[in-house]
Amino acid sequence: MNNNLSERPIGVFDSGLGGLTVLKALRENFPHENFIYLGDTARIPYGTKSPRTISKYLEQNVNFLKTKNVKAVVVACNSASSVVHAITSDIPIYNVIEPGARAAARATQNNLIGIIATRATVAGRNYVTRLEEINPEFKIYQQACPLLVPLVEEGWDDDPITNLIIYRYLSPLMAVKIDTLIMGCTHYPILKEAIRKVVGPNVELIDSGASVSEKIESDFQKNILAPNHSGLTGDISFMITDTSESFQAQAQRIMAPMPVKKLELVDVF
Ligand code: DGL
């Protein structure tokens, strides 16, 4: 086990594939960091579950990653980020909602912001609360999109049926003329091309990977988190909590051109 604080890995978790969009951004921005990715495939989806259940998963995943000696945990899941206040920790825990809300607040010009997310994230209203704190003038429109996570897990990101479903979910937001759309679920950037087709070129799309990378960069600068100074290309380990026939191939597609090495099957509870 590596006790040099800066060289310890950063843990990143999600219920499944979605958090890989965050991992990919983190890897591109911080190539020297070591990462451990945990996909809680045994318990996906999170977004249909209650805050009580998601809090339990969050705690178990964080505790598991701590056993791997991580120096920080990125909760690469909006549904779990919605309940992140429920845990205390001796290492930094990064949620994706706070940085996403700040990025959207900076991006909007007409103060009309849309949020698409899981049912759990929409019910938690964390984006809404944070955005209203930043600027009470914002008009915020949330839309739960429960069908999108299964479509992504199924690999249907380029499919006419998915396009139609996205059109149906996004039409009410387009009707009120939002100029900024928070992709408030880490699975959704995998559907970015399909979403772009519906919203057109003028709506700013906010995704969790870019936003949380900015927050970590700022914490590296402030010495809140120690960056890895080894100069070596970091290592990424992939772990899942249940066997999945398709995870490796799908993960490879999302992470390309980065290789996805062998997946390790782990128990987190
Ligand atoms: N990707 C996750 C999120 O950002 C969870 C999706 C799910 O498991 O429902 O909310």
Side-chain angles (χ1 to χ4, degrees):
M1 201 167 267
N2 189 346
N3 285 320
N4 180 340
L5 178 65
S6 71
E7 290 176 22
R8 281 161 53 186
I10 297 176
V12 180
F13 83 83
D14 181 40
S15 57
L17 294 166
L20 293 171
T21 63
V22 175
L23 177 68
K24 192 171 186 185
L26 292 169
R27 169 63 171 204
E28 281 165 4
N29 287 300
F30 312 114
H32 302 304
E33 295 301 327
N34 296 307
F35 292 101
I36 295 178
Y37 185 81
L38 173 67
D40 192 5
T41 47
R43 303 188 288 191
I44 192 173
Y46 282 11
T48 54
K49 307 217 161 71
S50 67
R52 179 178 174 274
T53 297
I54 302 173
S55 301
K56 195 168 69 192
Y57 295 172
L58 166 74
E59 194 172 352
Q60 288 169 342
N61 293 344
V62 168
N63 286 341
F64 170 79
L65 287 167
K66 281 186 180 174
T67 67
K68 302 287 168 195
N69 201 29
V70 294
K71 63 181 173 186
V73 174
V74 176
V75 181
C77 170
N78 287 264
S79 310
S81 289
S82 302
V83 293
V84 92
H85 52 267
I87 57 164
T88 51
S89 171
D90 51 347
I91 56 167
I93 309 285
Y94 292 95
N95 77 84
V96 288
I97 291 182
E98 167 69 25
R102 275 196 277 110
R106 281 198 308 271
T108 185
Q109 311 223 323
N110 69 3
N111 288 351
L112 304 176
I113 300 173
I115 300 161
I116 49 173
T118 64
R119 285 212 166 100
T121 301
V122 165
R125 293 183 61 82
N126 295 51
Y127 276 114
V128 177
T129 307
R130 188 63 193 106
L131 284 165
E132 285 174 349
E133 275 165 17
I134 296 172
N135 184 348
E137 303 279 295
F138 287 153
K139 285 209 157 40
I140 303 148
Y141 303 91
Q142 297 200 97
Q143 173 69 53
C145 306
L147 295 175
L148 298 187
V149 167
L151 289 168
V152 168
E153 292 287 326
E154 204 54 37
W156 287 25
D157 41 273
D158 182 20
D159 189 285
I161 304 226
T162 306
N163 293 344
L164 262 181
I165 293 172
I166 291 176
Y167 177 79
R168 176 140 177 199
Y169 280 142
L170 288 181
S171 292
L173 300 180
M174 296 315 291
V176 294
K177 301 210 180 327
I178 57 158
D179 74 348
T180 302
L181 178 66
I182 298 177
M183 293 186 284
C185 168
T186 54
H187 280 72
Y188 300 172
I190 298 164
L191 303 170
K192 194 168 183 175
E193 276 176 38
I195 292 172
R196 177 59 75 199
K197 273 191 218 142
V198 175
V199 300
N202 298 326
V203 170
E204 189 77 31
L205 296 179
I206 306 294
D207 82 72
S208 305
S211 326
V212 79
S213 292
E214 273 180 40
K215 168 70 179 147
I216 290 178
E217 177 61 48
S218 137
D219 280 7
F220 279 155
Q221 310 262 333
K222 291 185 200 147
N223 277 324
I224 293 173
L225 186 64
N228 189 339
H229 289 304
S230 70
L232 302 170
T233 302
D235 189 51
I236 312 181
S237 308
F238 293 89
M239 299 176 186
I240 49 177
T241 54
D242 196 7
T243 48
S244 155
E245 275 175 26
S246 58
F247 194 95
Q248 173 115 24
Q250 303 268 40
Q252 185 58 81
R253 216 158 54 91
I254 296 163
M255 293 301 287
M258 288 167 226
V260 174
K261 294 184 306 191
K262 203 175 137 296
L263 304 175
E264 192 182 330
L265 188 61
V266 296
D267 287 319
V268 298
F269 54 92

